[in-house]
């Protein structure tokens, strides 16, 4: 059984003006998503600015989210690292806290060969017992998970169950599904490719869009699963201008501004991310209004 099906939110991390984590606001966001149609919370991913967190902050955030979600919806913890030992330690800790799953990004900067990726993911899976979703996003990490590597890991390691595919390469994604006989839980890592990936047997999306439009993102998936392919596609296409604006600058710069425009102030970004430009703020607000999101 998949960790979740549908739309999981790659949740932002709210900060106080001094840069510390705003747990009161995070608590509000967790409640918001549990009360909406969000199907899963993914904490401490790229959108959550995990790259700027200390390990202590990272794991405190994971534990807080698991405790506050209280089993209402699944929680997947981002526990990837470019250091295998660090990824093992964080993954073990998140598993002990009760994470429903782990999201492991490929090692970044030092990267790895495909054999290195097999060794890395296998080592983490051996010690952390929660189900693992691999995360392939070469545009950020410089390291792609090839289809043959996905197939080997899914077939040979029991608790490696899925992949978040953000390569943007539909041909690669189709090859993954062919080489695994469809026996991998496939999630879109791109909000503009939800329907194409569902059509290949995907289970859903790990979504930035869900931060501002959780019900609509869920509905794209639900309509598809219920056989309303035309309705699902129509929602996907309607969302494209907004999705484009949510990535007009480096994620999560635009989505945090979008939430502020909705009246949900999640505080500043951590350096080296900086505030959105005025021109992009205006085009973002316009896309939000056209999508039907009420601004504060």
């Amino acid at each position: 059984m998949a960790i979740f099906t549908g739309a999981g939110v790659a949740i932002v991390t709210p900060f106080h003006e001094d840069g510390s984590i705003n747990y009161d606001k995070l608590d509000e966001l967790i409640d918001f998503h549990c009360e909406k149609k969000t199907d899963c919370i993914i904490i401490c991913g790229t959108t959550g600015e995990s790259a700027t967190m200390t390990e202590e902050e990272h794991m405190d955030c994971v534990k807080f989210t698991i405790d506050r979600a209280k089993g209402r919806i699944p929680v997947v913890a981002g526990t990837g690292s470019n250091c295998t030992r660090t990824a093992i330690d964080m993954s073990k800790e998140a598993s002990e806290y009760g994470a429903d799953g782990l999201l492991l990004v490929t090692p970044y900067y030092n990267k790895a060969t495909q054999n290195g990726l097999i060794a890395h993911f296998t080592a983490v899976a051996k010690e952390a017992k929660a189900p693992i979703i691999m995360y392939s996003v070469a545009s950020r990490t410089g390291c792609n998970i090839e289809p043959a590597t996905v197939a080997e890991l899914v077939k040979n390691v029991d608790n490696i169950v899925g992949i978040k595919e953000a390569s943007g390469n539909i041909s690669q994604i189709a090859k993954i599904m062919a080489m695994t006989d469809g026996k991998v839980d496939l999630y879109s890592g791109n909000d503009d490719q939800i329907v194409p990936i569902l059509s290949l047997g995907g289970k859903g999306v790990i979504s930035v869009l869900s931060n501002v439009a959780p019900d609509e993102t869920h509905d794209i998936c639900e309509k598809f699963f219920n056989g309303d392919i035309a309705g699902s596609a129509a929602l996907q296409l309607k969302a494209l201008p907004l999705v484009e604006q949510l990535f007009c600058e480096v994620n999560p710069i635009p989505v945090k501004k979008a939430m502020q425009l909705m009246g949900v102030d999640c505080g500043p970004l951590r350096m080296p991310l900086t505030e959105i430009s005025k021109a992009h703020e205006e085009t973002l607000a316009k896309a939000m209004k056209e999508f039907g999101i009420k601004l504060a």
Side-chain angles (χ1 to χ4, degrees):
M1 179 183 291
I3 299 167
F4 76 96
T5 58
V9 62
I11 198 168
V12 302
T13 302
F15 297 118
H16 292 292
E17 287 303 317
D18 65 2
S20 60
I21 296 170
N22 184 342
Y23 284 102
D24 289 338
K25 181 61 69 174
L26 179 57
D27 198 14
E28 291 178 18
L29 295 179
I30 293 165
D31 278 341
F32 171 80
H33 285 289
C34 287
E35 291 164 4
K36 289 290 187 177
K37 294 180 180 179
T38 303
D39 297 294
C40 180
I41 293 173
I42 295 85
I43 185 70
C44 291
T46 306
T47 310
E49 299 177 73
S50 59
T52 67
M53 292 182 182
T54 66
E55 284 182 39
E56 182 180 5
E57 286 177 321
H58 192 131
M59 298 318 300
D60 284 349
C61 243
V62 167
K63 186 176 189 304
F64 182 87
T65 303
I66 293 167
D67 289 347
R68 294 302 302 151
K70 298 176 181 175
R72 288 176 286 175
I73 58 175
V75 174
V76 170
T79 53
S81 174
N82 62 337
C83 170
T84 301
R85 185 69 249 171
T86 300
I88 289 170
D89 291 343
M90 291 200 300
S91 298
K92 286 174 65 178
E93 191 170 344
S95 297
E96 290 163 4
Y97 292 152
D100 295 283
L102 308 171
L103 182 67
L104 292 178
V105 71
T106 54
Y108 38 86
Y109 187 71
N110 54 1
K111 306 193 290 187
T113 63
Q114 295 303 302
N115 284 338
L117 291 178
I118 291 167
H120 172 81
F121 287 119
T122 301
V124 178
K126 183 178 179 180
E127 296 198 46
K129 300 309 178 186
I132 289 170
I133 301 170
M134 299 175 289
Y135 180 15
S136 185
V137 57
S139 62
R140 280 186 178 266
T141 66
C143 188
N144 182 50
I145 311 178
E146 298 291 342
T149 302
V150 177
E152 180 166 343
L153 285 163
V154 169
K155 289 176 181 178
N156 295 326
V157 185
D158 287 345
N159 58 323
I160 295 180
V161 300
I163 184 164
K164 176 185 176 183
E165 240 294 350
S167 68
N169 185 341
I170 292 295
S171 296
Q172 172 172 289
I173 296 165
K175 194 170 183 180
I176 287 171
M177 298 307 279
M179 294 185 75
T180 60
D181 300 319
K183 295 176 181 175
V184 61
D185 295 336
L186 171 66
Y187 298 97
S188 177
N190 294 320
D191 284 310
D192 60 351
Q193 293 183 336
I194 303 171
V195 172
I197 285 178
L198 293 180
S199 75
L200 291 170
K203 300 291 186 183
V205 59
I206 295 176
S207 170
V208 175
L209 178 64
S210 283
N211 282 284
V212 296
D215 291 350
E216 293 86 348
T217 314
H218 165 91
D219 287 347
I220 292 172
C221 298
E222 184 175 63
K223 285 179 181 293
F224 189 96
F225 295 143
N226 289 340
D228 182 7
I229 310 302
S232 175
L235 276 176
Q236 171 79 92
L237 296 175
K238 179 184 176 184
L240 288 182
L242 175 56
V243 171
E244 183 178 359
Q245 291 306 312
L246 288 173
F247 290 89
C248 64
E249 294 187 20
V250 174
N251 177 50
I253 292 172
V255 73
K256 272 197 159 179
K257 175 55 67 173
M259 294 176 74
Q260 184 185 64
L261 292 171
M262 293 168 63
V264 183
D265 190 353
C266 292
L269 299 142
R270 279 187 173 179
M271 291 279 281
L273 299 185
T274 53
E275 290 299 316
I276 195 169
S277 71
K278 190 65 179 174
H280 282 150
E281 179 180 344
E282 290 172 358
T283 56
L284 174 62
K286 181 174 182 288
M288 292 172 70
K289 285 190 276 190
E290 289 176 351
F291 187 75
I293 294 173
K294 185 177 180 180
L295 305 189

